[in-house]
Amino acid sequence: MEESQVRVSCGSMCRIIIDGKYLLILNQNRRKKGYYQLSPIGGAITIDSWDYLSSLHIDPERVGSNDLRFYINAAQIEDFRAWFYSRQNREQDPFREIYEELVLESHALFDVSRRDVRMRFDRVVEDRKQTIRKGLTGQFTQYFFDIFDVSFRSQDIVLRLKTAPSDAGIVLLDEAVVKAGISLNMEFDGKMRQVNIVAEYLF
């Protein structure tokens, strides 16, 4: 990577509140490595086509991927920021991540459709810090996060989330605990684990 380049990572996060408590989910990739972290449902935002950013000097992090994780000339960050905030030609809601995390990964739900979910865009949050992403640990990254308020129309879905088995990794926590971002001792995978909370961008 050239010195003039900056790593950029764009994602979405869901603020889901059920009975006054915040729904967080275990990061499954880190769980497999013995590291337990609770965070909001969300993930990488995809671009419809890299052609929409052809005027910028962009080097995607993974060849063949449309995830908005890439390197860009530092002088063009403002141009990218303007494009990102326009919310055009890219993923505009977090339904794909909701489906993947609640159905395919955690198996907390048997199924969920768009008509089951209310998604309201709240704001974009930016940050710049070192990443802990595998293979890139320590690298400074410019983050852009779309924050959404998400709720479910079906009471059956709400009930399933409230009563999800511990293996699903679904946890409902009080706002004060989530805001504090403290580590908790919780039982997962047959043992008491130290669980970190990473949800500061919801507030």
Side-chain angles (χ1 to χ4, degrees):
M1 183 183 71
E2 298 177 4
E3 289 298 322
S4 61
Q5 285 190 313
V6 175
R7 181 176 183 265
V8 174
S9 180
C10 305
S12 62
M13 289 189 183
C14 300
R15 185 189 296 112
I16 302 174
I17 301 175
I18 296 176
D19 294 344
K21 296 180 183 291
Y22 284 70
L23 185 149
L24 303 180
I25 189 168
L26 279 181
N27 182 299
Q28 295 298 329
N29 289 331
R30 292 184 181 140
R31 183 183 190 178
K32 292 173 184 175
K33 300 168 188 170
Y35 179 70
Y36 291 78
Q37 177 183 298
L38 288 168
S39 55
I41 287 174
I45 291 173
T46 60
I47 186 170
D48 296 346
S49 169
W50 288 107
D51 291 344
Y52 291 111
L53 295 178
S54 60
S55 63
L56 306 181
H57 295 97
I58 280 178
D59 182 15
E61 193 169 271
R62 285 193 300 138
V63 176
S65 173
N66 276 16
D67 289 352
L68 279 170
R69 289 178 176 142
F70 57 88
Y71 296 94
I72 186 173
N73 188 305
Q76 295 184 318
I77 280 285
E78 285 301 325
D79 292 332
F80 173 77
R81 179 179 284 112
W83 176 86
F84 186 84
Y85 275 77
S86 75
R87 308 191 71 246
Q88 300 294 315
N89 308 123
R90 66 174 179 83
E91 208 165 19
Q92 296 184 25
D93 68 51
F95 179 76
R96 178 177 58 85
E97 291 291 341
I98 292 170
Y99 186 86
E100 287 181 3
E101 295 195 36
L102 293 182
V103 178
L104 301 181
E105 295 178 5
S106 70
H107 307 294
L109 301 177
F110 297 120
D111 197 12
V112 64
S113 67
R114 281 186 174 275
R115 63 179 176 272
D116 296 320
V117 187
R118 297 186 188 93
M119 297 172 284
R120 186 187 68 82
F121 174 70
D122 180 22
R123 69 191 191 282
V124 175
V125 172
E126 295 186 39
D127 198 1
R128 190 169 188 269
K129 63 182 181 181
Q130 290 178 313
T131 182
I132 59 172
R133 189 171 179 82
K134 185 178 179 181
L136 299 165
T137 302
Q139 193 168 120
F140 271 98
T141 300
Q142 173 71 46
Y143 292 94
F144 295 86
F145 294 111
D146 279 348
I147 308 299
F148 289 84
D149 284 308
V150 173
S151 60
F152 300 95
R153 293 185 171 90
S154 167
Q155 286 305 304
D156 180 59
I157 288 176
V158 172
L159 180 60
R160 287 183 183 278
L161 292 174
K162 288 168 63 176
T163 59
S166 62
D167 283 352
I170 302 288
V171 177
L172 294 170
L173 295 174
D174 290 331
E175 180 178 313
V177 175
V178 178
K179 273 187 173 180
I182 57 176
S183 296
L184 303 175
N185 290 317
M186 306 179 76
E187 186 172 346
F188 285 111
D189 301 329
K191 293 182 180 180
M192 292 301 294
R193 312 284 183 174
Q194 182 175 331
V195 182
N196 294 322
I197 297 174
V198 180
E200 66 269 26
Y201 300 123
L202 294 184
F203 303 100

